[in-house]
mmCIF file of all heavy atoms in Angstrom:
data_model
loop_
_atom_site.group_PDB
_atom_site.id
_atom_site.type_symbol
_atom_site.label_atom_id
_atom_site.label_comp_id
_atom_site.label_asym_id
_atom_site.label_seq_id
_atom_site.Cartn_x
_atom_site.Cartn_y
_atom_site.Cartn_z
ATOM 1 N N ILE A 412 -0.813 -39.959 99.737
ATOM 2 C CA ILE A 412 -2.154 -40.329 100.199
ATOM 3 C C ILE A 412 -2.334 -39.911 101.661
ATOM 4 O O ILE A 412 -3.357 -39.326 102.024
ATOM 5 C CB ILE A 412 -2.411 -41.830 99.999
ATOM 6 C CG1 ILE A 412 -2.543 -42.141 98.502
ATOM 7 C CG2 ILE A 412 -3.666 -42.282 100.750
ATOM 8 C CD1 ILE A 412 -2.575 -43.622 98.169
ATOM 9 N N ALA A 413 -1.340 -40.197 102.489
ATOM 10 C CA ALA A 413 -1.430 -39.827 103.909
ATOM 11 C C ALA A 413 -1.563 -38.308 104.068
ATOM 12 O O ALA A 413 -2.384 -37.827 104.857
ATOM 13 C CB ALA A 413 -0.205 -40.339 104.666
ATOM 14 N N GLU A 414 -0.768 -37.557 103.304
ATOM 15 C CA GLU A 414 -0.856 -36.090 103.357
ATOM 16 C C GLU A 414 -2.213 -35.598 102.882
ATOM 17 O O GLU A 414 -2.804 -34.698 103.470
ATOM 18 C CB GLU A 414 0.228 -35.473 102.467
ATOM 19 C CG GLU A 414 1.494 -35.155 103.163
ATOM 20 C CD GLU A 414 2.410 -34.267 102.311
ATOM 21 O OE1 GLU A 414 2.126 -34.025 101.123
ATOM 22 O OE2 GLU A 414 3.415 -33.820 102.869
ATOM 23 N N THR A 415 -2.708 -36.194 101.821
ATOM 24 C CA THR A 415 -3.990 -35.788 101.257
ATOM 25 C C THR A 415 -5.115 -36.066 102.237
ATOM 26 O O THR A 415 -6.011 -35.238 102.411
ATOM 27 C CB THR A 415 -4.253 -36.522 99.925
ATOM 28 O OG1 THR A 415 -3.171 -36.246 99.039
ATOM 29 C CG2 THR A 415 -5.551 -36.063 99.293
ATOM 30 N N LEU A 416 -5.095 -37.236 102.861
ATOM 31 C CA LEU A 416 -6.134 -37.575 103.828
ATOM 32 C C LEU A 416 -6.164 -36.566 104.967
ATOM 33 O O LEU A 416 -7.237 -36.167 105.423
ATOM 34 C CB LEU A 416 -5.913 -38.983 104.384
ATOM 35 C CG LEU A 416 -6.204 -40.119 103.425
ATOM 36 C CD1 LEU A 416 -5.844 -41.456 104.063
ATOM 37 C CD2 LEU A 416 -7.670 -40.112 103.008
ATOM 38 N N GLU A 417 -4.998 -36.161 105.414
ATOM 39 C CA GLU A 417 -4.930 -35.187 106.508
ATOM 40 C C GLU A 417 -5.558 -33.861 106.086
ATOM 41 O O GLU A 417 -6.307 -33.253 106.841
ATOM 42 C CB GLU A 417 -3.473 -34.982 106.930
ATOM 43 C CG GLU A 417 -3.296 -34.098 108.127
ATOM 44 C CD GLU A 417 -3.970 -34.629 109.394
ATOM 45 O OE1 GLU A 417 -4.048 -35.860 109.581
ATOM 46 O OE2 GLU A 417 -4.427 -33.799 110.199
ATOM 47 N N SER A 418 -5.275 -33.410 104.867
ATOM 48 C CA SER A 418 -5.806 -32.122 104.427
ATOM 49 C C SER A 418 -7.267 -32.200 103.996
ATOM 50 O O SER A 418 -7.973 -31.194 104.018
ATOM 51 C CB SER A 418 -4.953 -31.552 103.290
ATOM 52 O OG SER A 418 -5.035 -32.365 102.156
ATOM 53 N N LEU A 419 -7.748 -33.388 103.623
ATOM 54 C CA LEU A 419 -9.129 -33.529 103.156
ATOM 55 C C LEU A 419 -10.116 -33.901 104.243
ATOM 56 O O LEU A 419 -11.320 -33.819 104.018
ATOM 57 C CB LEU A 419 -9.212 -34.629 102.086
ATOM 58 C CG LEU A 419 -8.778 -34.297 100.682
ATOM 59 C CD1 LEU A 419 -8.965 -35.503 99.784
ATOM 60 C CD2 LEU A 419 -9.561 -33.133 100.129
ATOM 61 N N LYS A 420 -9.646 -34.327 105.395
ATOM 62 C CA LYS A 420 -10.555 -34.912 106.377
ATOM 63 C C LYS A 420 -11.730 -34.001 106.717
ATOM 64 O O LYS A 420 -12.844 -34.475 106.858
ATOM 65 C CB LYS A 420 -9.812 -35.364 107.621
ATOM 66 C CG LYS A 420 -9.234 -34.270 108.467
ATOM 67 C CD LYS A 420 -8.521 -34.847 109.668
ATOM 68 C CE LYS A 420 -7.884 -33.718 110.450
ATOM 69 N NZ LYS A 420 -7.089 -34.211 111.529
ATOM 70 N N ASP A 421 -11.515 -32.711 106.776
ATOM 71 C CA ASP A 421 -12.615 -31.803 107.091
ATOM 72 C C ASP A 421 -13.547 -31.597 105.902
ATOM 73 O O ASP A 421 -14.733 -31.361 106.085
ATOM 74 C CB ASP A 421 -12.066 -30.448 107.557
ATOM 75 C CG ASP A 421 -11.314 -30.566 108.872
ATOM 76 O OD1 ASP A 421 -11.647 -31.476 109.658
ATOM 77 O OD2 ASP A 421 -10.398 -29.762 109.106
ATOM 78 N N ASP A 422 -13.021 -31.697 104.693
ATOM 79 C CA ASP A 422 -13.845 -31.495 103.501
ATOM 80 C C ASP A 422 -14.675 -32.724 103.139
ATOM 81 O O ASP A 422 -15.781 -32.600 102.641
ATOM 82 C CB ASP A 422 -12.968 -31.126 102.299
ATOM 83 C CG ASP A 422 -12.245 -29.814 102.494
ATOM 84 O OD1 ASP A 422 -12.801 -28.941 103.187
ATOM 85 O OD2 ASP A 422 -11.134 -29.664 101.980
ATOM 86 N N VAL A 423 -14.118 -33.907 103.361
ATOM 87 C CA VAL A 423 -14.777 -35.134 102.924
ATOM 88 C C VAL A 423 -15.783 -35.638 103.947
ATOM 89 O O VAL A 423 -16.887 -36.025 103.613
ATOM 90 C CB VAL A 423 -13.725 -36.231 102.620
ATOM 91 C CG1 VAL A 423 -14.397 -37.531 102.292
ATOM 92 C CG2 VAL A 423 -12.847 -35.783 101.471
ATOM 93 N N CYS A 424 -15.424 -35.621 105.192
ATOM 94 C CA CYS A 424 -16.300 -36.129 106.240
ATOM 95 C C CYS A 424 -17.245 -35.022 106.687
ATOM 96 O O CYS A 424 -16.811 -33.963 107.112
ATOM 97 C CB CYS A 424 -15.486 -36.642 107.429
ATOM 98 S SG CYS A 424 -16.536 -37.318 108.726
ATOM 99 N N THR A 425 -18.545 -35.270 106.585
ATOM 100 C CA THR A 425 -19.533 -34.278 107.003
ATOM 101 C C THR A 425 -20.087 -34.593 108.380
ATOM 102 O O THR A 425 -21.008 -33.951 108.842
ATOM 103 C CB THR A 425 -20.693 -34.212 105.985
ATOM 104 O OG1 THR A 425 -21.260 -35.517 105.854
ATOM 105 C CG2 THR A 425 -20.208 -33.701 104.650
ATOM 106 N N CYS A 426 -19.549 -35.606 109.027
ATOM 107 C CA CYS A 426 -19.993 -35.982 110.367
ATOM 108 C C CYS A 426 -19.443 -34.989 111.392
ATOM 109 O O CYS A 426 -18.460 -34.312 111.146
ATOM 110 C CB CYS A 426 -19.501 -37.384 110.723
ATOM 111 S SG CYS A 426 -20.018 -38.631 109.539
ATOM 112 N N GLU A 427 -20.068 -34.952 112.531
ATOM 113 C CA GLU A 427 -19.598 -34.088 113.620
ATOM 114 C C GLU A 427 -18.389 -34.718 114.294
ATOM 115 O O GLU A 427 -18.337 -35.924 114.506
ATOM 116 C CB GLU A 427 -20.715 -33.892 114.651
ATOM 117 C CG GLU A 427 -21.929 -33.186 114.092
ATOM 118 C CD GLU A 427 -21.655 -31.744 113.705
ATOM 119 O OE1 GLU A 427 -20.902 -31.073 114.417
ATOM 120 O OE2 GLU A 427 -22.204 -31.311 112.679
ATOM 121 N N ASP A 428 -17.414 -33.931 114.673
ATOM 122 C CA ASP A 428 -16.266 -34.350 115.484
ATOM 123 C C ASP A 428 -15.498 -35.544 114.946
ATOM 124 O O ASP A 428 -15.067 -36.401 115.722
ATOM 125 C CB ASP A 428 -16.722 -34.648 116.920
ATOM 126 C CG ASP A 428 -17.372 -33.432 117.553
ATOM 127 O OD1 ASP A 428 -16.856 -32.322 117.316
ATOM 128 O OD2 ASP A 428 -18.365 -33.589 118.261
ATOM 129 N N GLY A 429 -15.302 -35.655 113.634
ATOM 130 C CA GLY A 429 -14.498 -36.755 113.072
ATOM 131 C C GLY A 429 -14.924 -38.101 113.622
ATOM 132 O O GLY A 429 -14.229 -38.695 114.438
ATOM 133 N N CYS A 430 -16.022 -38.577 113.181
ATOM 134 C CA CYS A 430 -16.712 -39.716 113.787
ATOM 135 C C CYS A 430 -15.865 -40.973 113.958
ATOM 136 O O CYS A 430 -16.050 -41.712 114.906
ATOM 137 C CB CYS A 430 -17.948 -40.051 112.980
ATOM 138 S SG CYS A 430 -17.564 -40.639 111.317
ATOM 139 N N CYS A 435 -18.109 -44.345 107.282
ATOM 140 C CA CYS A 435 -18.363 -42.913 107.208
ATOM 141 C C CYS A 435 -18.379 -42.455 105.743
ATOM 142 O O CYS A 435 -17.794 -43.078 104.874
ATOM 143 C CB CYS A 435 -17.282 -42.163 107.979
ATOM 144 S SG CYS A 435 -17.294 -40.395 107.714
ATOM 145 N N CYS A 436 -19.007 -41.318 105.522
ATOM 146 C CA CYS A 436 -19.149 -40.782 104.164
ATOM 147 C C CYS A 436 -17.806 -40.600 103.448
ATOM 148 O O CYS A 436 -17.738 -40.659 102.235
ATOM 149 C CB CYS A 436 -19.899 -39.461 104.223
ATOM 150 S SG CYS A 436 -19.128 -38.249 105.331
ATOM 151 N N GLY A 437 -16.727 -40.368 104.170
ATOM 152 C CA GLY A 437 -15.440 -40.105 103.539
ATOM 153 C C GLY A 437 -14.672 -41.329 103.102
ATOM 154 O O GLY A 437 -13.713 -41.218 102.359
ATOM 155 N N THR A 438 -15.049 -42.511 103.546
ATOM 156 C CA THR A 438 -14.219 -43.677 103.259
ATOM 157 C C THR A 438 -14.145 -44.011 101.775
ATOM 158 O O THR A 438 -13.133 -44.525 101.326
ATOM 159 C CB THR A 438 -14.688 -44.920 104.046
ATOM 160 O OG1 THR A 438 -16.064 -45.161 103.752
ATOM 161 C CG2 THR A 438 -14.491 -44.730 105.526
ATOM 162 N N VAL A 440 -13.906 -41.943 99.334
ATOM 163 C CA VAL A 440 -12.858 -41.074 98.796
ATOM 164 C C VAL A 440 -11.496 -41.588 99.260
ATOM 165 O O VAL A 440 -10.572 -41.738 98.468
ATOM 166 C CB VAL A 440 -13.088 -39.608 99.218
ATOM 167 C CG1 VAL A 440 -11.906 -38.739 98.825
ATOM 168 C CG2 VAL A 440 -14.373 -39.080 98.596
ATOM 169 N N GLU A 441 -11.386 -41.869 100.544
ATOM 170 C CA GLU A 441 -10.109 -42.327 101.095
ATOM 171 C C GLU A 441 -9.612 -43.590 100.404
ATOM 172 O O GLU A 441 -8.442 -43.711 100.065
ATOM 173 C CB GLU A 441 -10.245 -42.585 102.596
ATOM 174 C CG GLU A 441 -10.473 -41.333 103.398
ATOM 175 C CD GLU A 441 -10.879 -41.615 104.829
ATOM 176 O OE1 GLU A 441 -10.838 -42.789 105.253
ATOM 177 O OE2 GLU A 441 -11.232 -40.660 105.535
ATOM 178 N N LEU A 444 -8.088 -42.869 96.744
ATOM 179 C CA LEU A 444 -7.040 -41.876 96.483
ATOM 180 C C LEU A 444 -5.878 -42.476 95.700
ATOM 181 O O LEU A 444 -5.302 -41.817 94.837
ATOM 182 C CB LEU A 444 -6.532 -41.276 97.792
ATOM 183 C CG LEU A 444 -7.429 -40.226 98.413
ATOM 184 C CD1 LEU A 444 -6.892 -39.825 99.782
ATOM 185 C CD2 LEU A 444 -7.563 -39.010 97.522
ATOM 186 N N ILE A 469 -8.325 -35.408 92.502
ATOM 187 C CA ILE A 469 -9.048 -35.490 93.778
ATOM 188 C C ILE A 469 -10.360 -34.717 93.696
ATOM 189 O O ILE A 469 -11.388 -35.168 94.209
ATOM 190 C CB ILE A 469 -8.160 -34.991 94.939
ATOM 191 C CG1 ILE A 469 -7.004 -35.976 95.150
ATOM 192 C CG2 ILE A 469 -8.970 -34.820 96.218
ATOM 193 C CD1 ILE A 469 -5.899 -35.472 96.047
ATOM 194 N N ILE A 473 -14.000 -36.395 94.377
ATOM 195 C CA ILE A 473 -14.999 -35.841 95.301
ATOM 196 C C ILE A 473 -16.308 -35.548 94.564
ATOM 197 O O ILE A 473 -17.397 -35.790 95.104
ATOM 198 C CB ILE A 473 -14.441 -34.583 96.007
ATOM 199 C CG1 ILE A 473 -13.314 -35.002 96.963
ATOM 200 C CG2 ILE A 473 -15.544 -33.836 96.750
ATOM 201 C CD1 ILE A 473 -12.548 -33.855 97.585
#
Side-chain angles (χ1 to χ4, degrees):
I412 290 171
E414 267 193 352
T415 303
L416 288 176
E417 185 61 33
S418 65
L419 281 181
K420 68 180 177 185
D421 295 332
D422 297 329
V423 175
C424 182
T425 57
C426 304
E427 297 294 322
D428 301 320
C430 65
C435 169
C436 55
T438 56
V440 172
E441 292 169 8
L444 282 174
I469 292 168
I473 291 172

